[in-house]
Amino acid sequence: MSVIITTGDLKRNYEVIDTIFAMDSNKEGFLKSADPNLAFEGVKNQLKKKCEQLRGDAIVNCQFEYRVAVSDGMMSKKQVMEIFSYGTVIRFLD
């Protein structure tokens, strides 16, 4: 079964296992800009992996935040897209 990630609650009986946190980023590169979609997919994959390690079925009430940062590159400053997320891991009872 695939791990469910939702920003709300689920209308099923479940037990709470734990809260989890994840962060990912994507940096501007040579001839490419920072891609927020890659950072978002990366953070979702981390959340799913942590949920599976806890033997959870889903992550409810997920919150996603982002920031655009700047890092030093070889010749100039580079834009970095950072995504932070946390949620509650649950296991279905039914």
Side-chain angles (χ1 to χ4, degrees):
M1 182 173 164
S2 180
V3 170
I4 298 168
I5 297 177
T6 179
T7 56
D9 201 5
L10 294 172
K11 298 205 185 268
R12 287 182 66 174
N13 292 327
Y14 61 80
E15 65 178 333
V16 171
I17 298 173
D18 202 355
T19 55
I20 56 174
F21 171 83
M23 181 185 106
D24 204 352
S25 63
N26 185 263
K27 187 190 297 190
E28 178 180 18
F30 184 69
L31 299 177
K32 79 172 187 85
S33 60
D35 188 342
N37 292 313
L38 291 175
F40 186 63
E41 287 304 314
V43 83
K44 289 194 310 182
N45 288 335
Q46 287 184 42
L47 289 171
K48 288 179 180 182
K49 185 175 181 178
K50 289 180 180 188
C51 181
E52 289 168 351
Q53 290 171 343
L54 293 169
R55 296 191 175 130
D57 296 311
I59 308 160
V60 296
N61 300 315
C62 272
Q63 300 293 314
F64 295 91
E65 300 287 333
Y66 75 94
R67 81 175 185 157
V68 178
V70 177
S71 71
D72 290 326
M74 284 185 72
M75 310 239 343
S76 64
K77 302 282 187 189
K78 300 288 185 186
Q79 184 182 48
V80 180
M81 176 63 68
E82 298 176 332
I83 308 256
F84 310 88
S85 183
Y86 61 90
T88 304
V89 176
I90 62 166
R91 184 176 302 127
F92 297 131
L93 297 175
D94 49 12

